[in-house]
Amino acid sequence: MSLNGNVVVAQGGGPTAVINESLVGVVLESRKFAQINRVYGALGGVRGIINEDFLDLTQETTHNLEEVAKTPSSALLSTRDKPDEKYCKEIFDVFKAHNVRYFFYIGGNDSVGTVDIVNRYAKTSGYDFRAIHIPKTIDNDIVLTDHTPGFGSAAKFVAQSFIGLNLDNRALPGIHIGVVMGRNSGFLTAASVLAKKYPDDGPHLIYMPERHFCIDSFVSDVKQMYDKYGRCVVAVSEGIADENGVPIAQKLGSTERDAHGNLMLSQTDLGELLVGHIKRTINTERVRSDTFGYLQRSFGLCISEVDQYEAREAGEKAAQFSIWHDRDGSISLSRIGDYAINYKLQRLEDVANRIKVMDDSFISSAGNHVTEEFKNYIRPLVGSGLRDGQRLIAPPVEKLLNR
Amino acid sequence: MSLNGNVVVAQGGGPTAVINESLVGVVLESRKFAQINRVYGALGGVRGIINEDFLDLTQETTHNLEEVAKTPSSALLSTRDKPDEKYCKEIFDVFKAHNVRYFFYIGGNDSVGTVDIVNRYAKTSGYDFRAIHIPKTIDNDIVLTDHTPGFGSAAKFVAQSFIGLNLDNRALPGIHIGVVMGRNSGFLTAASVLAKKYPDDGPHLIYMPERHFCIDSFVSDVKQMYDKYGRCVVAVSEGIADENGVPIAQKLGSTERDAHGNLMLSQTDLGELLVGHIKRTINTERVRSDTFGYLQRSFGLCISEVDQYEAREAGEKAAQFSIWHDRDGSISLSRIGDYAINYKLQRLEDVANRIKVMDDSFISSAGNHVTEEFKNYIRPLVGSGLRDGQRLIAPPVEKLLNR
């Protein structure tokens, strides 16, 4: 028989487009259990717990919860706090005062560490308590899960953006570099491959942080594509670094000179640094870059419906695992065939403090593109509705002047 | 009785999300007329004409045309060429050889100038010929029209992006600056106002190039909002300049120093320059910027259906005005009530070489936001489906510890 008491749910770290689906999954499912008296939402992650900043989500209307579910970014607000021993004590002073017996924390790598710490504290202090981490990231860098809720929608945004950049670059040819989020893992950058429809579509090159970035090879790759297609679209992860782990932005920023020969001292924008370097080494006119930035994690009109229902189910399963089955852990998504998902529970200590990177089988041997295997991996995650481009197919007209 | 002959349609300048709707409007409507033998598409704007690079769009399937219509960016490819006298002569050598009697050019400010030049050349050289400019821009800076096809979809992208940035900024508070396209006209930046739902939503400040940008006032505005809301979202047009017309990026880039006191010599990114300036003058931790860049003009999943059908109708009316009514000119959209559109034809010389900026009645008296009048102006243009955010409304829980 599971514990009687109250639930606290909170959200930590950077937002995603579907993070509130998990929140609403926890709330609606928890409210069904007779053991649960109240479902509280902590405002601002773990910070909201020690401040006793709770909303009584038991009193939230179902319609409003469904509207909030469709809203990107953390409805309960967020924090970057990582609790230490003293912080944990304060958390449990509050949990005890409010008879909180279930804690659900929706977050990324930092958040699973937080749940692990909190749960260990509960065990050593003898407080009967269940804690579940519900994964969310746009980077897809959590281990022991096929993928993470939040990734599919961000990937859809990246793919749709590259569809547009490719069409734009085809109409007004040149070299275009799109810089995508992802410090250590290239999944999101790699998602740009879904923009390729016709054989000559971009991205023609994809650089992920899983491979050392060599500036000379990059220039030579770009030149080769530009010679072949008369244009070149490049997807670059913000996290690319050289063989010594030095970020490329830092490397180029500290050594490059501007058009007047002045040392560039404080330029930090990776895209513009790469543009500058190409302009100095390849004889071409039109070189541009875009840094996707924060748009990619909270754009409400480019959400994957698969990502959406998986985020919801992850929240529901979290409530079921803990309240029915009395278990702690981190929710994982296990892929079945092509394509279904089975939700499992991983041990917190197996997930905390680890970062998932792209499998070797996902990256082309030259290290500047992805494989067919990766395409099959990512395609179901972005759901339906990606709007690709269609070209005119009419025949050319015979030239009469032929000048 | 109108001229018998062939049609050439082409696209010039930067792409929009709905520019192919106008193309398809011209093609489908022109194909209905008995006087029209063939409808040719010139590849790469006026450059495609002098190269005789034509597709025979009379042989394009209707289904494919409808698919192309929904595809952002110029399906006929584009050019930045501006014809001079010699260029015009080459154009008419080709037009005469192919018996082209109707020319439709879909483009922005440069393109209406091109149509005007080509049309004058036809008249002075005695070639019987009709030429129509079909407006498209994302900047909305063409005169004598209520607005320009292409603007509504870009505006919708900007609004949806600020909805996301505002939600993101609310979850993890700080100062966030979004830099929007528009060198001379602030319409697209002003569209960010549609992101405001709750009274404390961003953008809290909007800076348009129609007003001189004073860096000290900017810092003081941001500080005031930050003190009031604990956060601040700012929309800034890329074209902002000081009272002498000096671009702010140039001004800040030439005078600012980095954290080590080094002069920043080559930094050109306006958003990051403003971030740097705020960090040095306001005591706060989290200051970020996003530059929307090329994403805003070719994003296929954020298209205004109003913009879409208006772009289509502008193309259809172009064919009707010239083939039925034997007229030259530039298509304009005239607003009726709230909200319908009447399509008219303006004289090319009245539209060419002019730039529309925001009316004074659209800009707040402090010059750092927009008015209710602007909101009423823009709301119908972005169509339906903007996905706003919904907040939790549950009551707070009584604090038991009250530390």
Side-chain angles (χ1 to χ4, degrees):
Chain A
M1 178 62 193
S2 64
L3 294 161
N4 282 275
N6 295 324
V7 161
V8 161
V9 58
Q11 297 170 311
T16 78
V18 299
I19 189 170
N20 294 327
E21 290 284 355
S22 295
L23 166 66
V24 171
V26 167
V27 174
L28 291 179
E29 192 69 10
S30 297
R31 297 203 305 198
K32 294 181 187 163
F33 287 88
Q35 302 97 303
I36 304 302
N37 188 28
R38 286 282 185 273
V39 179
Y40 292 165
L43 286 170
V46 282
R47 165 75 42 186
I49 300 173
I50 62 172
N51 290 342
E52 284 188 277
D53 273 336
F54 295 131
L55 297 182
D56 184 1
L57 299 178
T58 335
Q59 299 185 52
E60 190 69 58
T61 65
T62 310
H63 169 75
N64 198 54
L65 282 172
E66 291 296 350
E67 289 300 304
V68 167
K70 286 181 266 175
T71 301
S73 186
S74 319
L76 284 172
L77 315 183
S78 192
T79 184
R80 295 278 183 197
D81 280 8
K82 289 184 75 171
D84 56 13
E85 189 82 2
K86 180 171 167 291
Y87 206 112
C88 277
K89 187 186 172 305
E90 294 187 42
I91 286 175
F92 278 94
D93 288 344
V94 174
F95 281 172
K96 285 172 192 164
H98 290 270
N99 192 29
V100 173
R101 295 290 171 174
Y102 300 93
F103 175 44
F104 301 97
Y105 205 30
I106 308 161
N109 280 312
D110 283 349
S111 302
V112 62
T114 293
V115 178
D116 191 29
I117 292 165
V118 167
N119 205 38
R120 283 167 197 270
Y121 190 95
K123 277 183 181 139
T124 55
S125 66
Y127 184 68
D128 216 351
F129 176 78
R130 299 277 81 82
I132 302 245
H133 166 247
I134 301 161
K136 74 81 208 156
T137 69
I138 61 163
D139 296 329
N140 199 30
D141 59 353
I142 293 178
V143 297
L144 300 181
T145 183
D146 178 76
H147 60 280
T148 314
F151 170 63
S153 296
K156 187 173 181 181
F157 181 88
V158 167
Q160 188 64 52
S161 295
F162 271 96
I163 288 171
L165 292 182
N166 174 66
L167 291 165
D168 198 318
N169 181 258
R170 188 169 175 262
L172 289 169
I175 295 163
H176 200 105
I177 299 167
V179 180
V180 181
M181 274 187 176
R183 292 261 162 226
N184 303 293
S185 304
F187 291 101
L188 200 53
T189 308
S192 62
V193 73
L194 294 174
K196 282 181 82 70
K197 175 176 174 172
Y198 297 93
D200 59 326
D201 273 341
H204 306 98
L205 297 164
I206 303 175
Y207 298 96
M208 297 144 282
E210 282 81 356
R211 294 288 177 267
H212 301 146
F213 186 84
C214 168
I215 294 170
D216 291 342
S217 308
F218 164 69
V219 170
S220 136
D221 289 349
V222 170
K223 197 173 177 319
Q224 195 188 332
M225 292 300 157
Y226 190 70
D227 289 345
K228 184 171 179 185
Y229 299 114
R231 63 190 191 92
C232 182
V233 176
V234 188
V236 167
S237 171
E238 61 174 355
I240 51 168
D242 73 7
E243 68 280 9
N244 301 314
V246 180
I248 298 304
Q250 183 186 323
K251 196 166 170 161
L252 279 176
S254 64
T255 60
E256 293 297 301
R257 287 168 188 278
D258 68 14
H260 309 286
N262 297 315
L263 199 59
M264 290 160 69
L265 297 164
S266 297
Q267 176 90 306
T268 53
D269 184 87
L270 176 63
E272 284 308 299
L273 285 165
L274 291 171
V275 164
H277 191 76
I278 285 176
K279 280 183 175 168
R280 278 183 296 278
T281 48
I282 298 180
N283 185 20
T284 177
E285 273 183 28
R286 206 164 175 279
V287 192
R288 302 280 190 277
S289 81
D290 278 309
T291 301
F292 292 11
Y294 292 85
L295 302 191
Q296 59 202 311
R297 69 185 194 187
S298 51
F299 198 83
L301 279 178
C302 193
I303 292 176
S304 156
E305 81 281 8
V306 173
D307 193 26
Q308 203 161 26
Y309 70 65
E310 288 178 354
R312 171 71 67 106
E313 288 183 298
E316 288 178 10
K317 293 304 293 182
Q320 294 176 5
F321 277 125
S322 60
I323 307 174
W324 258 338
H325 302 292
D326 236 355
R327 294 176 65 191
D328 304 306
S330 174
I331 299 286
S332 71
L333 283 65
S334 180
R335 183 185 297 233
I336 302 163
D338 191 10
Y339 163 92
I341 286 296
N342 196 7
Y343 298 87
K344 297 183 178 174
L345 205 56
Q346 305 294 328
R347 297 195 312 169
L348 291 164
E349 60 266 38
D350 292 343
V351 180
N353 305 316
R354 292 173 65 191
I355 287 174
K356 186 172 79 170
V357 297
M358 288 177 73
D359 196 86
D360 283 344
S361 65
F362 288 166
I363 303 174
S364 74
S365 55
N368 59 11
H369 222 288
V370 301
T371 60
E372 294 298 309
E373 197 164 332
F374 178 75
K375 284 201 254 180
N376 289 329
Y377 166 78
I378 197 168
R379 220 180 282 277
L381 310 187
V382 297
S384 62
L386 208 58
R387 176 70 219 170
D388 67 7
Q390 186 81 3
R391 296 184 185 176
L392 294 166
I393 50 172
V397 175
E398 193 192 349
K399 295 192 183 196
L400 301 176
L401 300 179
N402 259 317
R403 285 180 297 212
Chain B
M1 179 63 192
S2 64
L3 295 162
N4 281 276
N6 296 325
V7 161
V8 162
V9 56
Q11 297 171 311
T16 78
V18 299
I19 189 169
N20 295 325
E21 290 285 353
S22 295
L23 166 65
V24 171
V26 167
V27 174
L28 291 179
E29 192 68 11
S30 297
R31 298 203 306 197
K32 293 180 185 162
F33 287 88
Q35 305 96 301
I36 304 303
N37 189 27
R38 286 282 185 272
V39 179
Y40 293 166
L43 284 170
V46 283
R47 165 76 40 188
I49 300 173
I50 62 173
N51 290 341
E52 284 188 278
D53 273 337
F54 294 132
L55 297 182
D56 183 2
L57 300 179
T58 334
Q59 299 185 51
E60 191 68 59
T61 64
T62 310
H63 169 74
N64 198 53
L65 282 173
E66 291 296 350
E67 289 300 305
V68 167
K70 285 180 266 175
T71 300
S73 186
S74 319
L76 285 172
L77 315 183
S78 193
T79 184
R80 294 277 183 197
D81 280 8
K82 289 185 75 172
D84 56 13
E85 190 81 1
K86 178 170 169 292
Y87 206 111
C88 277
K89 189 187 171 304
E90 294 187 43
I91 286 176
F92 278 94
D93 289 345
V94 174
F95 280 174
K96 284 172 194 166
H98 289 272
N99 191 29
V100 173
R101 297 289 172 175
Y102 299 94
F103 175 45
F104 301 98
Y105 205 30
I106 307 161
N109 280 311
D110 284 348
S111 302
V112 63
T114 293
V115 178
D116 191 29
I117 291 165
V118 167
N119 205 38
R120 282 168 197 270
Y121 189 94
K123 277 184 182 138
T124 55
S125 65
Y127 184 69
D128 216 353
F129 177 78
R130 299 279 81 83
I132 302 246
H133 166 248
I134 301 161
K136 71 84 207 151
T137 70
I138 63 163
D139 295 330
N140 200 29
D141 59 353
I142 294 179
V143 297
L144 299 181
T145 184
D146 179 75
H147 60 280
T148 314
F151 169 64
S153 296
K156 186 173 180 179
F157 181 87
V158 168
Q160 188 64 53
S161 295
F162 272 96
I163 289 172
L165 293 182
N166 174 65
L167 290 165
D168 199 317
N169 181 258
R170 188 169 175 263
L172 289 168
I175 295 163
H176 200 103
I177 299 168
V179 180
V180 181
M181 274 189 177
R183 293 259 163 228
N184 303 294
S185 305
F187 291 101
L188 199 53
T189 308
S192 62
V193 73
L194 294 174
K196 281 183 82 70
K197 175 176 173 172
Y198 297 93
D200 59 326
D201 273 341
H204 305 98
L205 297 164
I206 302 176
Y207 297 96
M208 297 143 283
E210 282 81 356
R211 294 289 178 269
H212 300 145
F213 187 84
C214 166
I215 295 172
D216 291 342
S217 308
F218 164 70
V219 170
S220 134
D221 288 350
V222 170
K223 194 171 180 320
Q224 196 188 332
M225 292 299 159
Y226 190 71
D227 289 345
K228 185 172 179 185
Y229 298 114
R231 66 193 190 92
C232 183
V233 176
V234 188
V236 167
S237 171
E238 60 175 354
I240 51 167
D242 72 8
E243 66 281 9
N244 301 313
V246 180
I248 299 303
Q250 183 185 321
K251 196 167 170 160
L252 279 176
S254 64
T255 59
E256 294 297 301
R257 287 166 188 278
D258 69 11
H260 308 289
N262 297 315
L263 197 59
M264 290 163 67
L265 297 164
S266 297
Q267 176 91 302
T268 54
D269 184 86
L270 176 62
E272 284 307 299
L273 284 165
L274 291 172
V275 164
H277 191 77
I278 286 176
K279 280 184 176 169
R280 279 183 296 277
T281 49
I282 298 180
N283 185 20
T284 175
E285 275 185 27
R286 206 164 176 278
V287 191
R288 303 279 192 278
S289 81
D290 278 309
T291 301
F292 292 11
Y294 292 87
L295 302 191
Q296 59 202 311
R297 70 186 195 187
S298 52
F299 198 84
L301 278 179
C302 192
I303 292 176
S304 156
E305 81 282 7
V306 173
D307 193 26
Q308 202 161 25
Y309 70 66
E310 287 178 353
R312 172 70 68 104
E313 288 183 300
E316 289 178 9
K317 292 304 292 182
Q320 294 176 6
F321 278 125
S322 60
I323 308 175
W324 259 338
H325 303 292
D326 237 354
R327 294 177 65 191
D328 303 307
S330 174
I331 300 287
S332 72
L333 283 66
S334 179
R335 182 184 298 232
I336 301 165
D338 190 10
Y339 164 91
I341 285 296
N342 196 8
Y343 298 86
K344 297 183 179 173
L345 205 56
Q346 306 295 328
R347 299 194 311 169
L348 291 164
E349 60 267 36
D350 293 344
V351 180
N353 306 314
R354 292 173 64 190
I355 287 175
K356 186 173 78 172
V357 297
M358 288 176 74
D359 196 85
D360 283 344
S361 66
F362 287 168
I363 303 174
S364 73
S365 55
N368 60 12
H369 223 286
V370 301
T371 60
E372 294 298 310
E373 197 164 333
F374 178 76
K375 285 202 253 178
N376 289 328
Y377 166 79
I378 197 168
R379 220 179 281 278
L381 310 187
V382 299
S384 62
L386 208 58
R387 177 69 220 170
D388 67 6
Q390 186 82 4
R391 296 183 183 176
L392 294 165
I393 50 172
V397 175
E398 193 193 349
K399 296 192 183 196
L400 301 177
L401 299 180
N402 260 316
R403 284 181 297 210

